[in-house]
C-alpha cells in the first residue's frame, strides 16, 4: 500500500514500527525497551539491559538520572506515552502505588501498542497490580508484575531475583529480558502473586535487619569486636542477608551503606512503605503479623526522626544511641 492511501492512524502505527525496526541493534535478540524510574535500582537495571545489547528508551522526572543513562547510550523521552509506543517491553521501577498508578495513566492515555508488554518491578500492592492489569489489557496490551529482591548490589551485578505474576505465556515472553538483570526469574502465579511474594520477603527483611542490629549492638556493648561477632553469626544459625551482605555496622561489609553514613541503598521510607503494604494484605487475609507490625513502628519512628532518605540499616544507629527500656 502506498503512503498516500494510508489513514493518519495507519501512518502513525507504520512510523512507530519503522522507528522500532530502525533502532533495534544487532541480532534478533535485541529489543526496544522502555524504562521508567532511574533511581538506585532502575539506573543499574537499565544499564544492564544496555550492556546486554538492548536499545533503551528512558524517562525519569530527575534530569541527572536521565543524563546518566543518556551517557550510556539510552534515548531520553519527555513523554512516557511516546516512550511506550517505541518499546517492545516497558519496565517501571517507581517509588509507590500512587506514582505507579499515575505513571501508567499518563503512559497509556493515548492508547498502547497491543504487542507491548508492560512490566512493573516496583514494590506496590497486589490490588493495584490487578487493577492495572485490567486497565491495560482493556486497552489491548499486556501488564504483569515482576518485583525484585537483591537490593542495589543485586541490581548492579545483575543478580536480582524476579517474582513474576502473570500467565505462563507472559512469563515465557519476559524471561529473557529479565535474565539480563537477574539470576533467578520465578513464576509465582497469577497477577499480583509476584507482589504477594515480595511483600512477605520484605517483611522478613525488615524484621531481620532489626534483629541483626540489636544483636550486633548487644555484642559490641559487651565488649565483643564487631567483625569477630559478624564472623560468628555468618557461620552460625543467626546468619542472614542483613548480617552477611548488608551488615548495619560500619566496617563489617565493605560495600554496605553503613560504610557511607547509610547513604544510597534501600531507603527507610521505602521499607516503611513495604511494611504498610504487608500490613494491608495481612488485614485482608486475617493473618497475624506481630513482629511485622512492630518493625513497621520502628521504621516509622526513624522516618519521623528525619531518616527516611537513609538506608534502612540506619536502624543500627538508633540502637547504638538508645538505652535499655527507653
Ligand atoms: P529511588 O527513590 O532511588 O528511585 C525512584 C526513581 O523514580 C527516582 O529516580 C525518581 O526520580 C523517579 N520518579 C519518581 N516519580 C517519578 C515519576 N512520576 N515518573 C518517573 N520517574 C519518577 O527508589 P529505588 O530504591 O530505586 O526503588 C524503586 C522501587 O523498587 C520501589 O518501589 C522500591 O520499593 C523497590 N525496591 C527497591 C530496592 C532497593 O534496595 N532500593 C530493592 C527492591 C525493590
Amino acid at each position: 500500500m502506498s503512503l498516500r492511501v494510508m489513514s493518519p492512524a495507519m501512518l502513525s502505527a507504520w512510523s512507530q514500527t519503522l522507528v522500532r525496526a530502525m533502532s533495534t541493534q544487532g541480532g534478533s535478540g535485541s529489543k526496544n525497551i522502555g524504562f521508567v524510574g532511574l533511581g538506585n535500582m532502575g539506573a543499574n537495571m537499565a544499564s544492564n539491559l544496555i550492556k546486554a545489547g538492548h536499545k533503551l528508551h528512558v524517562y525519569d522526572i530527575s534530569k541527572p538520572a536521565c543524563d546518566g543513562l543518556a551517557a550510556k547510550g539510552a534515548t531520553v523521552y519527555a513523554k512516557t506515552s511516546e516512550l511506550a509506543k517505541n518499546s517492545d517491553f516497558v519496565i517501571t521501577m517507581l517509588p509507590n502505588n500512587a506514582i505507579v498508578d499515575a505513571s501508567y495513566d499518563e503512559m497509556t492515555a493515548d492508547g498502547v501498542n497491543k504487542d507491548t508488554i508492560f512490566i512493573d518491578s516496583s514494590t506496590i500492592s497486589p490490588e493495584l497490580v490487578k487493577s492495572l492489569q485490567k486497565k491495560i489489557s482493556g486497552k489491548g496490551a499486556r501488564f504483569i508484575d515482576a518485583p525484585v529482591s537483591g537490593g542495589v548490589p543485586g541490581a548492579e551485578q545483575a543478580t536480582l531475583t524476579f517474582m513474576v505474576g502473570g500467565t505462563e505465556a507472559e512469563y515465557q515472553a519476559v524471561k529473557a529480558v529479565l535474565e539480563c538483570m537477574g539470576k533467578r526469574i520465578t513464576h509465582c502465579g497469577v497477577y499480583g502473586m509476584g507482589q504477594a511474594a515480595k511483600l512477605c520477603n520484605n517483611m522478613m527483611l525488615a524484621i531481620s535487619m532489626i534483629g541483626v542490629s540489636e544483636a550486633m549492638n548487644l555484642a559490641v556493648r559487651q565488649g565483643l569486636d564487631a567483625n569477630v561477632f559478624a564472623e560468628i553469626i555468618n557461620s552460625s544459625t543467626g546468619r542472614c542477608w542483613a548480617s552477611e551482605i548488608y551488615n548495619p555496622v560500619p566496617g563489617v561489609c565493605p560495600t554496605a551503606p553503613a560504610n557511607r553514613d547509610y547513604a544510597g541503598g534501600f531507603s527507610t521510607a521505602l521499607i516503611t512503605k513495604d511494611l504498610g503494604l504487608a500490613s494491608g494484605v495481612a488485614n485482608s487475609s486475617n493473618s497475624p503479623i506481630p513482629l511485622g507490625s512492630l518493625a513497621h513502628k520502628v521504621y516509622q519512628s526513624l522516618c519521623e526522626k528525619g531518616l527516611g532518605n537513609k538506608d534502612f540499616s540506619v536502624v543500627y544507629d538508633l540502637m547504638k544511641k538508645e538505652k535499655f527500656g527507653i
Side-chain angles (χ1 to χ4, degrees):
M1 185 188 300
S2 84
L3 289 184
R4 265 185 303 171
V5 294
M6 279 187 176
S7 68
M10 285 167 77
L11 195 56
S12 159
W14 175 83
S15 67
Q16 281 155 18
T17 306
L18 191 65
V19 167
R20 289 161 75 171
M22 283 170 63
S23 56
T24 294
Q25 304 168 333
S28 59
S30 176
K31 301 285 181 195
N32 282 286
I33 303 182
F35 211 110
V36 180
L38 306 166
N40 290 325
M41 296 293 288
N44 290 303
M45 293 162 73
S47 299
N48 285 329
L49 288 166
I50 294 176
K51 280 186 208 152
H54 296 297
K55 168 79 183 148
L56 265 282
H57 306 265
V58 301
Y59 175 78
D60 193 293
I61 51 169
S62 150
K63 187 176 178 314
C66 292
D67 291 347
L69 263 293
K72 294 179 180 176
T75 306
V76 176
Y77 285 69
K79 285 177 77 179
T80 51
S81 51
E82 289 304 312
L83 170 154
K85 283 177 186 154
N86 289 332
S87 302
D88 304 305
F89 298 89
V90 174
I91 301 170
T92 44
M93 195 57 179
L94 294 163
N96 56 41
N97 271 9
I99 293 175
V100 171
D101 199 15
S103 172
Y104 274 95
D105 270 351
E106 204 178 303
M107 187 155 47
T108 62
D110 312 338
V112 289
N113 288 328
K114 65 172 177 27
D115 49 354
T116 299
I117 305 185
F118 293 86
I119 305 168
D120 181 55
S121 286
S122 329
T123 308
I124 59 169
S125 70
E127 287 70 28
L128 180 57
V129 169
K130 288 172 200 154
S131 133
L132 287 173
Q133 195 280 329
K134 267 198 195 126
K135 262 194 225 171
I136 288 163
S137 61
K139 289 174 190 261
R142 286 169 287 173
F143 172 90
I144 62 158
D145 53 318
V148 300
S149 180
V152 176
E156 280 166 356
Q157 294 152 28
T159 56
L160 292 169
T161 294
F162 279 86
M163 299 160 239
V164 179
T167 63
E168 175 64 26
E170 286 162 345
Y171 167 70
Q172 293 301 340
V174 301
K175 197 163 173 266
V177 166
L178 301 185
E179 276 168 349
C180 302
M181 301 174 282
K183 210 162 59 174
R184 265 180 218 90
I185 320 298
T186 302
H187 187 202
C188 297
V190 297
Y191 308 111
M193 285 302 110
Q195 294 294 352
K198 170 67 184 170
L199 295 182
C200 296
N201 176 77
N202 272 28
M203 186 179 75
M204 256 179 79
L205 170 68
I207 296 168
S208 65
M209 181 57 82
I210 297 174
V212 170
S213 297
E214 280 185 11
M216 292 296 302
N217 188 47
L218 183 59
V220 169
R221 283 199 190 176
Q222 289 178 90
L224 272 156
D225 178 86
N227 279 292
V228 170
F229 181 58
E231 253 184 71
I232 297 294
I233 311 182
N234 292 333
S235 54
S236 305
T237 45
R239 177 180 167 202
C240 61
W241 187 85
S243 69
E244 195 175 24
I245 312 287
Y246 217 79
N247 199 291
V249 181
V252 174
C253 293
T255 56
N259 299 306
R260 35 176 207 274
D261 192 25
Y262 304 97
F266 184 28
S267 75
T268 301
L270 286 180
I271 197 123
T272 307
K273 170 211 59 171
D274 292 357
L275 287 163
L277 293 172
S279 168
V281 294
N283 256 334
S284 59
S285 61
N286 277 324
S287 310
I289 53 159
L291 289 185
S293 300
L294 192 55
H296 194 195
K297 288 197 182 102
V298 170
Y299 291 106
Q300 270 171 334
S301 81
L302 287 172
C303 292
E304 282 155 17
K305 288 180 202 298
L307 297 168
N309 284 330
K310 295 277 186 188
D311 182 80
F312 76 122
S313 58
V314 75
V315 68
Y316 170 74
D317 224 32
L318 181 79
M319 304 291 165
K320 218 170 73 178
K321 288 170 187 151
E322 302 267 312
K323 295 271 187 313
F324 183 69
I326 293 181

